Amino acid sequence: MERVERGTVRRISEVPIHDTQATVSRWMRHVKLRLGHLFVHQGFLLLLVGFLLGRALILAKLTPFALPFFVSVYMLRRDKAAFALIALMAGALTLSFDVLLFVGVSIFGFLFIYGWVRRVISESLKIVPFVVFAVSLAAKWLISYYWVGERTVYGTAMAVVEAGLSLVLTLIFMQSIPLLTVRKHKHALRAEEIISLIILLASMLTGMIGWSAYGLSLEHVMSRYLVLLFAFVAGAATGSTVGVVTGLILSLANVGNLLEMSLLAFAGLLGGLLKEGRKLGVAFGLIVATLLMGLYGNGKAELVPTLLESGIAIVLFLFTARSLTEKIAKYIPGTAEYINEQQQYVRKIRDVTAQRVSQFSNVFQALAESFSPEPLSDDSEHQEREEDYFLGDITEQTCQTCFKKAQCWVTNFSTTYAYMKRMMHEAEEKTLAHNHQLLREWERHCVKAGKVVDAMEKEMVIYQANRKLKQQIYESRKLVAEQLLGVSQVMDDFAKEMQKEQENHYLQEEQIYHALQEFGIEIGHVDIYSLEKGNIDIEMSIPYCEGRGECEKLIAPMLSDILGETIVVKREECAAYPNGYCRVAFGSTKAFVVETGVAFAAKGGELISGDSYATIELGTGKYAVAISDGMGNGERAHYESRETLRLLQKILQTGMDESIAIKSINSILALRTTEDMYATLDLAIIDLQNAATKFLKIGSTPSFIKRGNKVIKVEASNLPMGILKEVEFDVVSEQLKSGDLLIMMSDGVFEGPMNVENHDVWMKRKIQELKTNDPQEVADLIMEEVIRQCGGEIEDDMTVVVAKVRHNTPKWATIPAYMYMKKAQ
């Protein structure tokens, strides 16, 4: 027995408390989902709303709520119209049989008339409010005239008023009913929708008039609870609006509630202003409003019941689930919950887009891998197999029908195979016809020697063409694979950039705003989008400055001092009228700028040069300088060099890596033509943030860096582009400094002087002797000196590109602002 108890009874510490809590949480969540489905989707909420609106009165005798509510449900959720009809009839029955008769006649009259109108008019929805007006007026007049027997002008006037209210309420309920019957995701309520919903809720409260317990009115308790809820969720503006609208409708239903409107409006205002104190702060606002209005109204006699009604409303408010208030806040623009919801939605869209881009990147990478060819085998085994196939074709054409086949390929196989192989190599080198000794030996060995030689020379052309075709297919697949891989990398980088979180810079915005205000500059607002070093992005609105240039002269220098980085005006949108505001965008400028100078001349003084140059501003904060020298001179060479630089510019501007770009261009040049047309490439890529420079030289001459009196040579030994299928190049890196001159030239300039033995030493000396630092003057002087050394003759195409790197100094100096604010971190 003891063992059984020990086996069945568990200690308290072993009881799974977390499992119990999780079960309860799941059960509560299940209950909430079922209730939400029952009331919202199944439409049982309409039963409650319809019952209260069915017994709602204005001026103790008008019932303008029932017909508009039914019409709205009938037009928007026709499947739930039966619920609305039952609820309205039940609510009207609690008032009197006359009210029930009016509700029934008006509803069935609308169904009859609207059914006829819908068959006549196509866009019948637009005239529904007017149908409601006519039906309400007719039903009220008929009941008053025939049933009640009231035939006065006052009764007719009240019927017109009630019909007019029904028309207006139909327009209002048409906007508010969908909010109660359809669960909309990511939907912000417009201002008119919020007001319509408040009117609907206040109209429901009028259906509670007359319900009281111990002298406490239920409509007062629920109206104050409604004001507390909206003041807490949406702030002072919405809270006071709810108070005014609710109090107004309650006062129309019962003139004794006129003072309630002031209490509710004041409570909504105070509660919204004190919402930073959470629920207790909002509740305190209602207590203060109740005390003030209670003492001002009917004195101390009515103060205690009013305080009790407010106390009950506060208790209900304090016990309201946080999930309900957060859910309501998500639909009201301006609330923190709404902003978070929108940010989550935008973040989700961004993540989905980034994921799709990443998936496309993976697709391109997979395509690149599938297009990547197997390396062409150069081993002896593969070579022997290819030769055997070739010799097998020759043997099949010539030896297969020969009567000495057995003697040659069985008895003397080694000798025959050796002769055939030697002749194949000679035919491949195109020297077989000149090797008379080999041909004589072969004639002594073979009875069909001439036929074999002719077949071998004929098949060799096809053999070489097939081998070249395989090589071109290999190069084409490799080019496609490299291009796809480059696109994949660009898309992957783009996906990563999209997934970067945008930081909030509220503190820095306030600091910049106050610093500029203290300096005496009026600012509308400041929006900071990025404070990343080298990528600062700030937008401001400033009053119309009448073209005085305050942004460039004052604000940009101050921001430069505040942020510790040079800031300039990126764009400016001036106000359309003198009293308006200008929109200005500030951003980081580059730490360095590049000034260029170019001098060129064509061979023999012609107009078209085989050299081409390009200076490219890349979007990644880099600057590229390139020279390409096409093989030879004239239009064809110019086309080759220009096409090389055009391809280079297009590929580099996509953000693709430089090495992939150059390999792609080399493959294109190699595959594009069968002619021996090649092009050199001399490329320098300067990082404008730190002046670090990468040199990629493909068959080009050396470049030179002039730093004061010192000249630095930059060179690399590589063949021109298009000569080799596999281009190999070295990347040379140099750190430039402010004031450095980068001098790049084609071979016509570097090797132009014929009477110079050492071109490196001569060019260094000429560059060192230059007295100017202006890039254009340097290019002109070097070109002039080379032409002079050539005796005034231009023997080859000549191009000189000079780039000067210097610090980027803004036009207006920095204004110290440390006294006004600390640097934004």
Side-chain angles (χ1 to χ4, degrees), residues 508-543:
Q508 289 86 349
E509 289 174 2
E510 288 294 326
Q511 289 177 334
I512 292 175
Y513 181 83
H514 289 301
L516 296 177
Q517 289 283 357
E518 289 288 335
F519 195 73
I521 300 176
E522 184 180 353
I523 299 295
H525 70 273
V526 179
D527 292 325
I528 298 179
Y529 298 103
S530 173
L531 284 180
E532 182 182 353
K533 194 71 173 178
N535 192 30
I536 290 177
D537 188 6
I538 301 175
E539 288 191 3
M540 294 184 187
S541 63
I542 63 171

Short mmCIF file of all heavy atoms in Angstrom, two decimals, residues 508-543:
data_model
loop_
_atom_site.label_atom_id
_atom_site.label_comp_id
_atom_site.label_asym_id
_atom_site.label_seq_id
_atom_site.Cartn_x
_atom_site.Cartn_y
_atom_site.Cartn_z
N GLN A 508 18.27 63.07 -30.95
CA GLN A 508 19.10 63.91 -31.81
C GLN A 508 18.26 64.98 -32.51
O GLN A 508 18.73 66.10 -32.70
CB GLN A 508 19.81 63.04 -32.85
CG GLN A 508 20.90 62.16 -32.28
CD GLN A 508 20.37 60.84 -31.76
OE1 GLN A 508 19.17 60.67 -31.64
NE2 GLN A 508 21.27 59.92 -31.44
N GLU A 509 17.02 64.64 -32.88
CA GLU A 509 16.15 65.63 -33.51
C GLU A 509 15.87 66.78 -32.55
O GLU A 509 15.91 67.96 -32.96
CB GLU A 509 14.85 64.97 -33.95
CG GLU A 509 15.00 64.04 -35.14
CD GLU A 509 13.72 63.30 -35.45
OE1 GLU A 509 12.71 63.56 -34.76
OE2 GLU A 509 13.71 62.47 -36.38
N GLU A 510 15.60 66.45 -31.29
CA GLU A 510 15.34 67.50 -30.30
C GLU A 510 16.59 68.34 -30.08
O GLU A 510 16.52 69.57 -29.94
CB GLU A 510 14.88 66.87 -28.99
CG GLU A 510 13.47 66.30 -29.05
CD GLU A 510 12.43 67.39 -29.25
OE1 GLU A 510 12.63 68.49 -28.72
OE2 GLU A 510 11.43 67.13 -29.95
N GLN A 511 17.76 67.69 -30.03
CA GLN A 511 19.01 68.43 -29.80
C GLN A 511 19.28 69.41 -30.94
O GLN A 511 19.62 70.58 -30.72
CB GLN A 511 20.17 67.45 -29.64
CG GLN A 511 20.14 66.66 -28.33
CD GLN A 511 21.25 65.65 -28.25
OE1 GLN A 511 21.75 65.19 -29.27
NE2 GLN A 511 21.63 65.30 -27.04
N ILE A 512 19.14 68.92 -32.16
CA ILE A 512 19.38 69.80 -33.31
C ILE A 512 18.36 70.92 -33.34
O ILE A 512 18.69 72.09 -33.60
CB ILE A 512 19.35 68.97 -34.60
CG1 ILE A 512 20.55 68.03 -34.65
CG2 ILE A 512 19.34 69.87 -35.82
CD1 ILE A 512 20.54 67.09 -35.83
N TYR A 513 17.11 70.59 -33.06
CA TYR A 513 16.05 71.60 -33.08
C TYR A 513 16.35 72.71 -32.08
O TYR A 513 16.29 73.90 -32.41
CB TYR A 513 14.72 70.93 -32.77
CG TYR A 513 13.54 71.87 -32.77
CD1 TYR A 513 12.90 72.23 -33.95
CD2 TYR A 513 13.06 72.41 -31.58
CE1 TYR A 513 11.82 73.09 -33.96
CE2 TYR A 513 11.97 73.28 -31.58
CZ TYR A 513 11.36 73.61 -32.77
OH TYR A 513 10.29 74.47 -32.76
N HIS A 514 16.69 72.34 -30.83
CA HIS A 514 16.95 73.35 -29.80
C HIS A 514 18.24 74.13 -30.08
O HIS A 514 18.31 75.33 -29.78
CB HIS A 514 17.02 72.69 -28.43
CG HIS A 514 15.69 72.21 -27.92
ND1 HIS A 514 14.60 73.06 -27.74
CD2 HIS A 514 15.24 70.97 -27.58
CE1 HIS A 514 13.55 72.37 -27.31
NE2 HIS A 514 13.92 71.10 -27.21
N ALA A 515 19.24 73.47 -30.64
CA ALA A 515 20.49 74.18 -30.95
C ALA A 515 20.25 75.27 -31.98
O ALA A 515 20.74 76.40 -31.84
CB ALA A 515 21.54 73.18 -31.46
N LEU A 516 19.48 74.95 -33.02
CA LEU A 516 19.20 75.95 -34.04
C LEU A 516 18.28 77.04 -33.51
O LEU A 516 18.42 78.22 -33.87
CB LEU A 516 18.58 75.28 -35.26
CG LEU A 516 19.47 74.27 -36.00
CD1 LEU A 516 18.72 73.60 -37.15
CD2 LEU A 516 20.72 74.94 -36.53
N GLN A 517 17.34 76.68 -32.63
CA GLN A 517 16.46 77.68 -32.03
C GLN A 517 17.27 78.63 -31.15
O GLN A 517 17.05 79.86 -31.17
CB GLN A 517 15.37 76.99 -31.20
CG GLN A 517 14.33 76.26 -32.04
CD GLN A 517 13.33 77.22 -32.67
OE1 GLN A 517 13.37 78.41 -32.43
NE2 GLN A 517 12.44 76.68 -33.49
N GLU A 518 18.20 78.08 -30.37
CA GLU A 518 19.03 78.93 -29.51
C GLU A 518 19.89 79.88 -30.33
O GLU A 518 20.19 80.99 -29.90
CB GLU A 518 19.93 78.05 -28.62
CG GLU A 518 19.19 77.28 -27.54
CD GLU A 518 18.72 78.21 -26.43
OE1 GLU A 518 19.34 79.28 -26.25
OE2 GLU A 518 17.74 77.88 -25.75
N PHE A 519 20.28 79.44 -31.51
CA PHE A 519 21.11 80.30 -32.36
C PHE A 519 20.28 81.36 -33.06
O PHE A 519 20.83 82.27 -33.68
CB PHE A 519 21.83 79.42 -33.40
CG PHE A 519 22.95 80.13 -34.09
CD1 PHE A 519 24.14 80.39 -33.42
CD2 PHE A 519 22.82 80.54 -35.41
CE1 PHE A 519 25.18 81.04 -34.07
CE2 PHE A 519 23.85 81.19 -36.05
CZ PHE A 519 25.04 81.44 -35.38
N GLY A 520 18.97 81.26 -32.96
CA GLY A 520 18.10 82.26 -33.55
C GLY A 520 17.53 81.89 -34.89
O GLY A 520 16.98 82.75 -35.60
N ILE A 521 17.65 80.61 -35.30
CA ILE A 521 17.11 80.16 -36.57
C ILE A 521 15.79 79.46 -36.32
O ILE A 521 15.72 78.51 -35.54
CB ILE A 521 18.10 79.21 -37.28
CG1 ILE A 521 19.43 79.92 -37.52
CG2 ILE A 521 17.51 78.70 -38.59
CD1 ILE A 521 20.49 79.02 -38.12
N GLU A 522 14.74 79.93 -36.96
CA GLU A 522 13.43 79.32 -36.78
C GLU A 522 13.32 78.06 -37.63
O GLU A 522 13.64 78.06 -38.82
CB GLU A 522 12.33 80.32 -37.17
CG GLU A 522 10.93 79.79 -36.91
CD GLU A 522 9.87 80.79 -37.31
OE1 GLU A 522 10.24 81.93 -37.67
OE2 GLU A 522 8.68 80.42 -37.28
N ILE A 523 12.87 76.99 -36.99
CA ILE A 523 12.75 75.69 -37.66
C ILE A 523 11.33 75.18 -37.48
O ILE A 523 10.77 75.23 -36.38
CB ILE A 523 13.76 74.67 -37.07
CG1 ILE A 523 15.19 75.16 -37.27
CG2 ILE A 523 13.57 73.30 -37.72
CD1 ILE A 523 15.62 75.26 -38.71
N GLY A 524 10.75 74.67 -38.58
CA GLY A 524 9.43 74.06 -38.48
C GLY A 524 9.50 72.72 -37.80
O GLY A 524 8.90 72.47 -36.76
N HIS A 525 10.26 71.79 -38.36
CA HIS A 525 10.47 70.49 -37.76
C HIS A 525 11.75 69.89 -38.32
O HIS A 525 12.29 70.36 -39.33
CB HIS A 525 9.28 69.55 -38.02
CG HIS A 525 9.18 69.11 -39.45
ND1 HIS A 525 8.52 69.85 -40.40
CD2 HIS A 525 9.68 68.02 -40.09
CE1 HIS A 525 8.60 69.23 -41.56
NE2 HIS A 525 9.30 68.13 -41.42
N VAL A 526 12.25 68.85 -37.64
CA VAL A 526 13.48 68.16 -38.04
C VAL A 526 13.17 66.67 -38.12
O VAL A 526 12.61 66.09 -37.19
CB VAL A 526 14.62 68.40 -37.03
CG1 VAL A 526 15.87 67.64 -37.45
CG2 VAL A 526 14.92 69.88 -36.90
N ASP A 527 13.54 66.04 -39.24
CA ASP A 527 13.40 64.60 -39.41
C ASP A 527 14.76 64.02 -39.75
O ASP A 527 15.39 64.42 -40.74
CB ASP A 527 12.42 64.26 -40.55
CG ASP A 527 10.99 64.66 -40.20
OD1 ASP A 527 10.63 64.54 -39.01
OD2 ASP A 527 10.25 65.10 -41.09
N ILE A 528 15.23 63.09 -38.92
CA ILE A 528 16.51 62.42 -39.14
C ILE A 528 16.23 61.01 -39.64
O ILE A 528 15.57 60.23 -38.95
CB ILE A 528 17.36 62.39 -37.86
CG1 ILE A 528 17.70 63.81 -37.40
CG2 ILE A 528 18.65 61.60 -38.10
CD1 ILE A 528 18.51 63.87 -36.13
N TYR A 529 16.75 60.70 -40.80
CA TYR A 529 16.56 59.36 -41.37
C TYR A 529 17.79 58.49 -41.19
O TYR A 529 17.67 57.27 -41.13
CB TYR A 529 16.21 59.47 -42.86
CG TYR A 529 14.93 60.21 -43.11
CD1 TYR A 529 14.93 61.52 -43.55
CD2 TYR A 529 13.70 59.60 -42.89
CE1 TYR A 529 13.74 62.20 -43.79
CE2 TYR A 529 12.51 60.27 -43.11
CZ TYR A 529 12.54 61.57 -43.56
OH TYR A 529 11.36 62.25 -43.77
N SER A 530 18.96 59.09 -41.12
CA SER A 530 20.17 58.30 -40.94
C SER A 530 21.26 59.19 -40.36
O SER A 530 21.42 60.35 -40.75
CB SER A 530 20.64 57.72 -42.28
OG SER A 530 21.89 57.09 -42.15
N LEU A 531 21.98 58.63 -39.39
CA LEU A 531 23.16 59.30 -38.84
C LEU A 531 24.41 58.47 -39.06
O LEU A 531 25.41 58.65 -38.37
CB LEU A 531 22.96 59.54 -37.32
CG LEU A 531 22.02 60.70 -36.94
CD1 LEU A 531 21.92 60.83 -35.44
CD2 LEU A 531 22.49 62.02 -37.55
N GLU A 532 24.35 57.55 -40.02
CA GLU A 532 25.51 56.71 -40.32
C GLU A 532 26.63 57.58 -40.88
O GLU A 532 26.41 58.46 -41.70
CB GLU A 532 25.11 55.64 -41.33
CG GLU A 532 26.22 54.68 -41.67
CD GLU A 532 25.79 53.67 -42.72
OE1 GLU A 532 24.58 53.65 -43.03
OE2 GLU A 532 26.64 52.91 -43.19
N LYS A 533 27.84 57.30 -40.43
CA LYS A 533 28.99 58.08 -40.85
C LYS A 533 29.14 58.02 -42.37
O LYS A 533 29.20 56.96 -42.97
CB LYS A 533 30.27 57.51 -40.19
CG LYS A 533 31.47 58.43 -40.27
CD LYS A 533 31.32 59.65 -39.37
CE LYS A 533 32.59 60.47 -39.32
NZ LYS A 533 32.45 61.68 -38.50
N GLY A 534 29.17 59.18 -42.98
CA GLY A 534 29.29 59.25 -44.42
C GLY A 534 27.99 59.11 -45.17
O GLY A 534 27.98 59.22 -46.39
N ASN A 535 26.90 58.84 -44.44
CA ASN A 535 25.61 58.65 -45.10
C ASN A 535 24.49 59.34 -44.32
O ASN A 535 23.41 58.80 -44.16
CB ASN A 535 25.31 57.15 -45.25
CG ASN A 535 24.15 56.89 -46.17
OD1 ASN A 535 23.90 57.65 -47.11
ND2 ASN A 535 23.42 55.82 -45.91
N ILE A 536 24.77 60.52 -43.81
CA ILE A 536 23.79 61.26 -43.01
C ILE A 536 22.68 61.78 -43.92
O ILE A 536 22.92 62.27 -45.02
CB ILE A 536 24.49 62.41 -42.26
CG1 ILE A 536 25.39 61.85 -41.15
CG2 ILE A 536 23.48 63.39 -41.67
CD1 ILE A 536 26.18 62.88 -40.40
N ASP A 537 21.46 61.68 -43.41
CA ASP A 537 20.29 62.12 -44.18
C ASP A 537 19.33 62.80 -43.21
O ASP A 537 18.75 62.17 -42.34
CB ASP A 537 19.62 60.93 -44.86
CG ASP A 537 18.51 61.37 -45.82
OD1 ASP A 537 18.37 62.59 -46.03
OD2 ASP A 537 17.81 60.49 -46.35
N ILE A 538 19.17 64.12 -43.35
CA ILE A 538 18.33 64.94 -42.47
C ILE A 538 17.46 65.83 -43.34
O ILE A 538 17.93 66.41 -44.33
CB ILE A 538 19.18 65.80 -41.51
CG1 ILE A 538 20.08 64.92 -40.65
CG2 ILE A 538 18.30 66.67 -40.63
CD1 ILE A 538 21.04 65.71 -39.77
N GLU A 539 16.19 65.95 -42.96
CA GLU A 539 15.28 66.86 -43.64
C GLU A 539 14.71 67.85 -42.64
O GLU A 539 14.44 67.50 -41.49
CB GLU A 539 14.15 66.10 -44.33
CG GLU A 539 14.59 65.34 -45.56
CD GLU A 539 13.42 64.82 -46.37
OE1 GLU A 539 12.27 65.12 -45.99
OE2 GLU A 539 13.65 64.12 -47.38
N MET A 540 14.53 69.09 -43.07
CA MET A 540 13.99 70.16 -42.23
C MET A 540 12.99 70.98 -43.02
O MET A 540 13.02 71.00 -44.27
CB MET A 540 15.10 71.11 -41.74
CG MET A 540 16.10 70.51 -40.82
SD MET A 540 17.26 71.79 -40.25
CE MET A 540 18.44 70.78 -39.38
N SER A 541 12.13 71.65 -42.28
CA SER A 541 11.26 72.66 -42.89
C SER A 541 11.57 73.98 -42.21
O SER A 541 11.60 74.06 -40.98
CB SER A 541 9.79 72.29 -42.71
OG SER A 541 9.43 72.27 -41.35
N ILE A 542 11.85 75.00 -43.01
CA ILE A 542 12.21 76.32 -42.48
C ILE A 542 11.32 77.35 -43.15
O ILE A 542 10.83 77.14 -44.27
CB ILE A 542 13.70 76.65 -42.74
CG1 ILE A 542 13.97 76.73 -44.24
CG2 ILE A 542 14.60 75.61 -42.09
CD1 ILE A 542 15.33 77.27 -44.56
N PRO A 543 11.08 78.48 -42.48
CA PRO A 543 10.26 79.53 -43.09
C PRO A 543 10.91 80.07 -44.36
O PRO A 543 12.12 79.95 -44.57
CB PRO A 543 10.19 80.61 -42.00
CG PRO A 543 10.50 79.89 -40.74
CD PRO A 543 11.47 78.80 -41.09
#
